[in-house]
Amino acid sequence: MFIISLTYKVPIENVEQHIPEHNSFLQKYYNAGLFIASGRKEPRTGGVIICKASSKNKLEYIIKEDPFHIHQIADYDITEFIPTKYNENFKIFIED
């Protein structure tokens, strides 16, 4: 699993112009079963996506489709982690 931390590089007004496209991008990968959760940071300096991708390379490929990446709206920091303890309700996201 991966945690993707986005940090905005532009004023929030520029970010908001691309939110509809970004939301479509997110929905594509929710529908594919890869994105598990996402949302804004507080304060609003970026966002976070929790993802179940097969590899970091695959995830980096996916990120290139994000309008925030295409329009250079945000920087991306990717952290891979292996869940070892979790709520049983979360188990469906852990197992392949």
Side-chain angles (χ1 to χ4, degrees):
M1 296 193 84
F2 298 89
I3 298 172
I4 308 157
S5 178
L6 288 76
T7 303
Y8 299 143
K9 304 190 304 185
V10 300
I12 199 67
E13 299 80 27
N14 297 63
V15 173
E16 289 177 347
Q17 293 175 358
H18 297 280
I19 286 180
E21 291 174 86
H22 176 69
N23 285 338
S24 294
F25 159 78
L26 292 172
Q27 192 60 52
K28 174 181 178 179
Y29 288 100
Y30 274 109
N31 292 346
L34 295 176
F35 288 176
I36 297 165
S38 59
R40 298 176 180 171
K41 291 180 182 176
E42 187 58 46
R44 196 169 175 198
T45 58
V48 173
I49 303 169
I50 299 175
C51 175
K52 182 181 179 184
S54 57
S55 69
K56 187 173 181 179
N57 286 340
K58 172 71 173 171
L59 179 54
E60 289 170 340
Y61 180 80
I62 290 169
I63 287 171
K64 289 179 183 178
E65 296 179 29
D66 187 353
F68 284 3
H69 181 271
I70 293 167
H71 299 289
Q72 299 181 359
I73 300 297
D75 286 324
Y76 298 75
D77 182 48
I78 300 170
T79 303
E80 183 171 6
F81 77 104
I82 301 167
T84 55
K85 188 166 181 71
Y86 48 84
N87 181 295
E88 281 299 310
N89 295 323
F90 191 69
K91 191 173 187 171
I92 61 170
F93 298 110
I94 306 298
E95 297 176 341
D96 286 326

